[in-house]
Structures are given as C-alpha cells and as structure tokens.
Amino acid sequence: MSASVETASLLADRIIALEESSTLAMTKKARELAAQGHKVISLSVGEPDFKTPKHICEAAKQAIDEGYHGYSPVAGYADLRKAIADKFKRENNIDWKPENIVVSTGAKHSLANVIQVLVNPGDEVVILAPYWVSYSEMVKLAEGKSVVLDGAFENNFKVTAEQLEAAITDRTKIVMYASPNNPTGSVYSEAELRAIADVIARHENVFVLADEIYEHINFTPNGHFSIGSIPEIKDRVITVNGVAKGFAMTGWRIGYIGAAKWIADGVEKLQGQVTSGTNSIAQRATIAALNGPTEPTREMAQAYERRRDLVVKLLKEIPGFKVNVPEGAFYAFPDISYYYGKSDGETTINNSDDFALWLLNKAYVATVAGSGFGAPYGLRISTAASDESLTEAVQRIKEAVATLK
C-alpha cells in the first residue's frame, strides 16, 4: 500500500460520516489540560459525583462469592427482568411481563438496539430537540433520516403536539425524546405527553422511543409521567431506562427496555449477535438497586435540586445569558448567543463550539457546546459537582465573558 494513501479513507463510510461525541470530546480536552497542570473544573460529563450506594456494592460482592462468573442470558437474568417488570408496574404504571424486557450494556446500548431493530434506510425519526448528542448519530448508523423539532426557550425547550403533528409524514417511524431532558433539564408534563400520545394514536405505524434515564432526578411537584402508561399507544412505546443516573451506577453499564414482545424479541436477536448478555455481576447489583431502599436516590435528587438553584441564580447574574429553570436531571443550559460575534481581542466567538473551546482555554472550565445537542445557541453545564466547584466555575465564566466586546 502506498504511504501516500490516507488510512482514514479505508474506514467504512458509516464511520467516516459519524460525528464524534461532543461530550466525550470535551472531556478528553479537559483531561489533557489538567495533565499539563492547569486547574480545570470539568462540568462537561453527564456523570453523578456520588458513589454507588453501599447495599448495591455489597450485592455485587455477594454475586462474585456466589459464582456469577459465566455468560448471562442474552436478554438478562430472569429475576432481573422480573425486577424491572415490577419496577415498571410500581413506578410507571406500565404493565410488562419479564418477556417484554431486554437488559443491555447501558441505556445508550438500549437506544441503539431499538433504532437498529425498527429503522430501515430512509425511515424518518422525529427527534425532539434539544436532544442528547448520540440520538441523531444512532439514526445515521441505521441509515435513517433525523427530523429535528426545536423546543422553544419560551416553552422551556419543549416541543408541542402541534409541532409533532405537522412533522409526521408517511416515512415517519419513530418519535424520540428524553424526559427529564439532557441537556436542558426540561420535563414533559402528563398533559403534554397525553397531547403527544393523541398525535401518535392517529398514526398507527409510528412508534415512540422514550428515554427515561433521568426519571428519578425530577424536581416537578407531580413527578415523573411515562407516556408508555397510556393504554391507547402502549404497544407502540419503547421505554428505555437504566441505573446510571438515579443510582450513581454509570460504570456498571446496565440499561434496559420495556416493549411489545415482538420488539423485545428483535432486540434480543440483534444483541445475541453483537454483545450477548451484559455484565453478570452488574446485573445482580441492579436487582439490589431496583428492589432496595430508595433513600440514597432521594438524597441525590435533593442535592441536585439544591445545586440547580445555586447555578441558575449565579448564571442569571452573567450579562447576556438567558437562563431557564431546569425541572430535572443535573444540567443547566443557558442561551449564550448574545456573545456570538464578540471578541476578547484574540479570539472571536462565532458559535457555541467556539465559545466552549474558548472558555476551556481561557477560564479552564469544561462545558459542552449546544451544537451537538441540536441547539447551537446553548451551552450545557453539568451541575454534578460540589457547590464550591460550581460557584468557582460560574465565577470564572463571568470573569471570562466580561472580556468579550
């Protein structure tokens, strides 16, 4: 092979076309600066800063001692699938049997599985934006087409049922959203989801992929509502969840779906050829998480709500920032477009990517540009950090933007 041939050009077209995860890319850059000795405050990664609760860790140790060392069933251990089915009934009013459950290696894997199983080349997936960075790339890998609907800032970044109705075509296969939302922290209310369900009910070949990974970090008075609990569309809703956020188990890599059996069977078939069953010890620990005490989760959610209040208050003191009040998750998502076109004399800010990179190099605060979330006006700031770190980070941001003219 000629040395002049670019090896990257030998990669499959689907990989060349794929965008790098903007959240992971910014985290990587922050680590590089920290390794150079800079005091970087990283607010880019969507990861709880709490330890996994002790009773869950003890269950994992017990599983090791009891010999759970071999391959697990592709769809997950039977008693874990039952625990998940019980959880759906208890917390979400969704009546699934264990046969409707498939356990995967994180909720990201669950989402990717469903899209691969349902989407044919050319199918349209309506994505409610702002959206998590991987949604559109997962659709691209399945050779589908993303149709992005923008939630207005004035509506707390939420898409309306009327917008959805106008976007559905005869090529629409899935409507995909997250509530509580990453990156905005917005929560779709029961009334809003019922209005969306009415639209779905009128289009019998359209499915809903509901990402509920932040379910337990919800600050609204009425709490979480699952669109999958609405009987008229239940069989066309795939509910995705996991233990990463609500139980501080990101590294354990356990996600799951609840869906009509034919969809669950399709996911199991795909998974059997790609990964097979997920980590055996983590599955045993997840049973303890789902069936165990809820106090640790509630305590974490209370801490996130307090931090939300702190960060929103501080961000509102920065001239030019437009700030909503997140209703869940652990992010703030200010509109920073006021600063587009401004310069500190060395760098001109033209978009959110410029802003995030400039902020990292100027103030050593790692955030994530809104462009990757389908919201080029925004900046995602993780509040999964100590009060002291959050306070210092926002102060650094405030001082940095003061240099932009």
Side-chain angles (χ1 to χ4, degrees), residues 65-246:
D65 292 339
E66 291 178 352
Y68 283 92
H69 305 157
Y71 291 130
S72 66
V74 172
Y77 287 118
D79 50 351
L80 173 55
R81 295 167 78 189
K82 182 181 185 304
I84 293 169
D86 290 345
K87 176 259 185 282
F88 273 131
K89 181 66 175 177
R90 181 177 68 246
E91 298 183 357
N92 307 98
N93 196 30
I94 303 175
D95 192 7
W96 288 131
K97 297 177 181 178
E99 64 188 21
N100 299 103
I101 310 300
V102 179
V103 181
S104 302
T105 306
K108 178 185 280 190
H109 186 201
S110 297
L111 292 165
N113 277 345
V114 173
I115 291 171
Q116 288 291 334
V117 163
L118 288 181
V119 175
N120 281 313
D123 283 350
E124 294 176 353
V125 177
V126 177
I127 302 177
L128 310 192
Y131 56 82
W132 183 47
V133 295
S134 294
Y135 287 179
S136 59
E137 300 308 302
M138 290 176 179
V139 173
K140 186 186 295 182
L141 276 175
E143 300 181 63
K145 177 186 176 184
S146 293
V147 177
V148 177
L149 299 186
D150 296 321
F153 179 91
E154 294 72 20
N155 194 39
N156 207 21
F157 300 109
K158 290 183 282 187
V159 172
T160 65
E162 291 75 18
Q163 285 178 275
L164 177 60
E165 180 68 70
I168 291 178
T169 72
D170 59 1
R171 297 295 298 172
T172 305
K173 191 64 172 289
I174 296 175
V175 175
M176 188 175 185
Y177 77 98
S179 179
N181 181 268
N182 174 6
T184 66
S186 301
V187 173
Y188 281 84
S189 69
E190 178 176 347
E192 290 165 331
L193 290 176
R194 287 191 179 278
I196 288 172
D198 287 343
V199 174
I200 300 298
R202 292 194 290 271
H203 300 275
E204 62 182 17
N205 294 320
V206 176
F207 296 81
V208 177
L209 185 48
D211 182 349
E212 301 189 351
I213 190 65
Y214 290 94
E215 171 189 7
H216 292 112
I217 309 172
N218 186 323
F219 316 135
T220 62
N222 295 326
H224 182 80
F225 180 80
S226 294
I227 195 170
S229 67
I230 300 174
E232 291 78 7
I233 63 168
K234 174 193 172 186
D235 287 342
R236 289 190 280 129
V237 176
I238 304 94
T239 304
V240 172
N241 211 323
V243 293
K245 314 300 184 179

Side-chain angles (χ1 to χ4, degrees), residues 266-283:
V267 168
E268 182 178 2
K269 181 179 181 181
L270 171 64
Q271 189 161 293
Q273 293 290 7
V274 179
T275 63
S276 295
T278 194
N279 183 285
S280 59
I281 305 305
Q283 287 191 61

Side-chain angles (χ1 to χ4, degrees), residues 1-10:
M1 181 181 297
S2 170
S4 64
V5 175
E6 288 287 339
T7 54
S9 68
L10 301 178

Side-chain angles (χ1 to χ4, degrees), residues 46-59 80 83-84 87-88 90-92 212-218 241-256 282-301 304 330:
E47 183 167 24
D49 59 324
F50 295 95
K51 299 293 185 183
T52 302
K54 185 176 180 181
H55 70 280
I56 299 172
C57 295
E58 291 300 323
L80 173 55
I84 293 169
K87 176 259 185 282
F88 273 131
R90 181 177 68 246
E91 298 183 357
N92 307 98
E212 301 189 351
I213 190 65
Y214 290 94
E215 171 189 7
H216 292 112
I217 309 172
N218 186 323
N241 211 323
V243 293
K245 314 300 184 179
F247 298 93
M249 294 176 68
T250 50
W252 299 75
R253 308 309 302 136
I254 295 290
Y256 54 84
Q283 287 191 61
R284 308 313 298 174
T286 298
I287 296 172
L290 296 178
N291 292 339
T294 59
E295 287 81 7
T297 296
R298 289 203 301 269
E299 289 171 3
M300 284 187 277
Y304 291 132
F330 40 69

Side-chain angles (χ1 to χ4, degrees), residues 283-357:
Q283 287 191 61
R284 308 313 298 174
T286 298
I287 296 172
L290 296 178
N291 292 339
T294 59
E295 287 81 7
T297 296
R298 289 203 301 269
E299 289 171 3
M300 284 187 277
Q302 290 167 1
Y304 291 132
E305 185 173 13
R306 188 192 70 249
R307 294 169 181 177
R308 184 274 312 264
D309 294 341
L310 170 66
V311 170
V312 166
K313 174 180 177 295
L314 294 174
L315 288 175
K316 284 184 175 180
E317 296 172 0
I318 300 178
F321 274 34
K322 288 174 62 179
V323 185
N324 76 314
V325 179
E327 297 174 310
F330 40 69
Y331 307 104
F333 197 70
D335 180 331
I336 44 92
S337 58
Y338 169 84
Y339 289 97
Y340 295 176
K342 299 186 185 299
S343 173
D344 65 354
E346 296 179 354
T347 302
T348 299
I349 307 298
N350 295 310
N351 49 51
S352 61
D353 296 276
D354 289 348
F355 192 100
L357 186 58

